[in-house]
Amino acid sequence: MVNSMRISVIGGGYVGLVTGTCFAKLGHNVTIIDVDPIKVQSINKGQPPIFENGLEDLLKENAGKSLRASTGYESLGNAELVFICVGTPPNPDGSANLMYIESASNSIGTALKTNPHYCVVVVKRTVPPGTTEKIVQPAVLRASRKTESEIGFAMNPEFLREGRAVEDFMQPDRIVIGCNDLRAGKQVAKVYEKMNAPVIRTGLTAAEMIKYTSNAFLATKISFSNEIGNICKHLGIDVYEVMKGVGLDQRIGPLFLNAGAGFGGSCFPKDVSALVSLAQATGETPILLQSVLEVNEQQPHRMIALLEKRLGNLSGKRIAVIGLAFKDNTDDIRDSRAIPVIQELLRRGASVAAYDPMARPPMQKVFPTIEYGSSAAEVLRGSEGCLIMTEWPEFSRLDTEFDLMARRIIIEGRRILTCDGAEGICW
Ligand code: UGA
């Protein structure tokens, strides 16, 4: 039997919604707070405002029972823990914008004034080292007029992959709890009591740095594989065979070694850039991290170069772009590698026909004038070239559809096809 705790989650976005719903599943009493009344209404009805595997079932199971959503901060009057899950969008220079974290901290402080219990404020989102201690803590204490003996502070980073967030939450590799006082750490640990995962206790800033470092290391693995892949391509070697042999070394590990069009999404590009600006602010030149970003920027252009090598001048040619989101199983197009690819194709005068099982509506906002199809076959018909940008399982079955093309020239940015005749970006 789990020790049920009263938890408020600030921000009903992707991280807040998954975290809050999973806390409810663990047996806690959760209120998700969001400024958007439509989102709040949808959560309370058990309908997830975003698509995430397994989330709808969990939400339906818990909404209206141990999970509710609200636009107001009333639940903080009685909360034992408050998790900050609001966004940290990038500033133009790549650093993290902490505006929402700051305003949430002020609102939390004000709402905690009347809370008679010891309460711990926990930062869940990825924030630069020092944020919890230097921004959140003083703002909350100032607004609440309370002391550290009444309000504790912790940093508990999330390691959730889009599309696998529920699974990642429920079966974590580790739980990191950063705090500067024992009592706060103990209260956070109680939330995860039921879970079977190692708990790592660190200081506040180390926990913040663990999250940046994890994402930067994973991004480095990808750019490293891409660089090796680019070399392998010249040498006529299959980089996937190479990485299979390399990844079996336990010191390296087999995951995140898939070479291809590079990493996208709302985390890796943003977090590595933030770490670069953080390093530069200390006077360091983060050569390795800068190269990780540089390799990543180049990969989409390599696909265009390959296409041009096979097809000649792209002007006036119909090119099918298959896969528009930053990866499969999501409609999220943030920093998707398909964006620079389409931009470059249009710059060279090609006519683009795009398909994605889920990401058409958001991509239509970015490129309103290109053609969109409702199936791969539709965009392949009459195309002279095709670029595969994500690993949707349905793409692995494509074969006869390529016969609809005017010329069967296929460049793969992800290793997914099983049919003959495709050329990989770096294999
Ligand atoms: C990433 C991390 O994996 C999570 O642990 C972290 O919590 C999350 O960021 C975050 O900071 O919130 P996510 O961005 O959802 O999760 O997606 P990933 O599955 O990690 O993929 C990121 C990108 O890397 C995708 O574009 C994917 O196609 C690419 N990738 C991934 C590769 O190019 N090669 C690989 O081997 C693996």
Side-chain angles (χ1 to χ4, degrees):
M1 186 57 197
V2 70
N3 208 336
S4 177
M5 306 191 77
R6 295 181 303 278
I7 299 175
S8 294
V9 174
I10 315 298
Y14 173 76
V15 172
L17 183 59
V18 171
T19 303
T21 309
C22 290
F23 280 156
K25 172 72 183 168
L26 288 177
H28 301 299
N29 214 309
V30 182
T31 305
I32 295 177
I33 296 160
D34 198 282
V35 285
D36 179 355
I38 297 169
K39 204 181 273 180
V40 163
Q41 207 176 36
S42 148
I43 298 171
N44 282 329
K45 280 192 200 148
Q47 292 161 353
I50 50 150
F51 171 79
E52 183 58 45
N53 263 338
L55 185 63
E56 191 164 359
D57 288 349
L58 279 193
L59 201 56
K60 284 207 156 63
E61 193 184 316
N62 294 289
K65 295 173 198 149
S66 52
L67 177 70
R68 54 183 289 276
S70 168
T71 49
Y73 277 68
E74 300 77 23
S75 64
L76 269 73
N78 197 28
E80 292 166 279
L81 290 132
V82 181
F83 282 81
I84 302 183
C85 296
V86 296
T88 53
N91 284 318
D93 67 353
S95 63
N97 181 338
L98 301 174
M99 185 174 79
Y100 300 113
I101 298 270
E102 274 188 78
S103 69
S105 303
N106 287 322
S107 309
I108 292 168
T110 309
L112 286 181
K113 264 187 200 166
T114 53
N115 185 328
H117 312 283
Y118 174 72
C119 180
V120 184
V121 176
V122 191
V123 174
K124 195 77 178 139
R125 291 301 293 255
T126 311
V127 291
T131 303
T132 311
E133 204 174 346
K134 299 210 173 76
I135 293 177
V136 176
Q137 182 164 332
V140 172
L141 291 179
R142 203 180 313 117
S144 64
R145 301 203 193 108
K146 288 190 171 184
T147 64
E148 278 170 66
S149 62
E150 295 160 289
I151 303 177
F153 294 88
M155 201 285 158
N156 168 224
E158 50 86 15
F159 301 101
L160 310 176
R161 279 167 296 179
E162 271 188 54
R164 290 185 176 197
V166 171
E167 183 189 326
D168 283 345
F169 189 98
M170 289 301 185
Q171 289 143 34
D173 290 339
R174 78 303 206 185
I175 293 160
V176 176
I177 300 174
C179 58
N180 290 348
D181 81 283
L182 215 59
R183 187 176 177 198
K186 267 191 182 163
Q187 186 128 316
V188 180
K190 268 207 253 171
V191 178
Y192 296 101
E193 229 166 43
K194 209 178 170 183
M195 302 189 83
N196 183 21
V199 175
I200 316 293
R201 299 281 199 97
T202 68
L204 278 173
T205 46
E208 292 165 330
M209 194 63 179
I210 284 172
K211 175 56 195 275
Y212 271 115
T213 309
S214 298
N215 273 2
F217 190 75
L218 292 168
T220 304
K221 277 183 103 173
I222 299 169
S223 277
F224 179 82
S225 300
N226 286 339
E227 185 153 289
I228 296 292
N230 295 339
I231 301 167
C232 284
K233 179 86 182 166
H234 287 290
L235 300 175
I237 301 169
D238 180 350
V239 66
Y240 275 73
E241 267 184 24
V242 173
M243 286 310 180
K244 194 171 171 194
V246 170
L248 283 172
D249 185 324
Q250 285 192 25
R251 292 168 300 174
I252 297 172
L255 304 178
F256 280 70
L257 292 179
N258 292 337
F263 55 79
S266 63
C267 305
F268 288 169
K270 177 178 81 130
D271 291 350
V272 180
S273 298
L275 198 50
V276 166
S277 358
L278 202 80
Q280 285 166 339
T282 68
E284 280 298 321
T285 304
I287 307 163
L288 182 60
L289 296 174
Q290 283 167 334
S291 309
V292 167
L293 292 174
E294 218 169 291
V295 171
N296 201 51
E297 287 312 306
Q298 288 307 315
Q299 290 309 97
H301 297 282
R302 283 180 173 264
M303 291 188 73
I304 304 289
L306 269 180
L307 187 67
E308 230 167 16
K309 199 169 148 199
R310 299 274 299 273
L311 208 51
N313 192 330
L314 299 178
S315 179
K317 295 196 168 120
R318 175 183 167 90
I319 307 296
V321 176
I322 294 189
L324 303 176
F326 83 96
K327 63 177 182 182
D328 59 297
N329 260 301
T330 176
D331 63 353
D332 190 343
I333 59 160
R334 283 176 289 178
D335 259 313
S336 160
R337 302 292 77 199
I339 295 175
V341 156
I342 295 174
Q343 259 162 359
E344 198 53 35
L345 287 171
L346 294 177
R347 209 178 63 81
R348 289 169 195 229
S351 107
V352 176
Y355 168 67
D356 188 284
M358 284 174 80
R360 174 180 175 162
M363 203 52 114
Q364 264 171 330
K365 289 193 186 137
V366 182
F367 297 109
T369 56
I370 64 170
E371 178 190 334
Y372 292 88
S374 47
S375 70
E378 200 178 315
V379 297
L380 287 169
R381 191 180 303 275
S383 286
E384 293 187 61
C386 163
L387 300 175
I388 305 282
M389 302 306 302
T390 61
E391 288 159 313
W392 269 95
E394 72 167 70
F395 301 162
S396 69
R397 295 185 290 274
L398 292 174
D399 187 0
T400 49
E401 290 83 348
F402 292 122
D403 296 335
L404 299 168
M405 296 175 73
R407 294 166 75 179
R408 203 178 148 119
I409 294 177
I410 311 153
I411 310 290
E412 260 187 300
R414 311 278 175 199
R415 174 87 142 232
I416 176 76
L417 299 179
T418 47
C419 63
D420 291 333
E423 180 176 358
I425 170 177
C426 37
W427 56 92

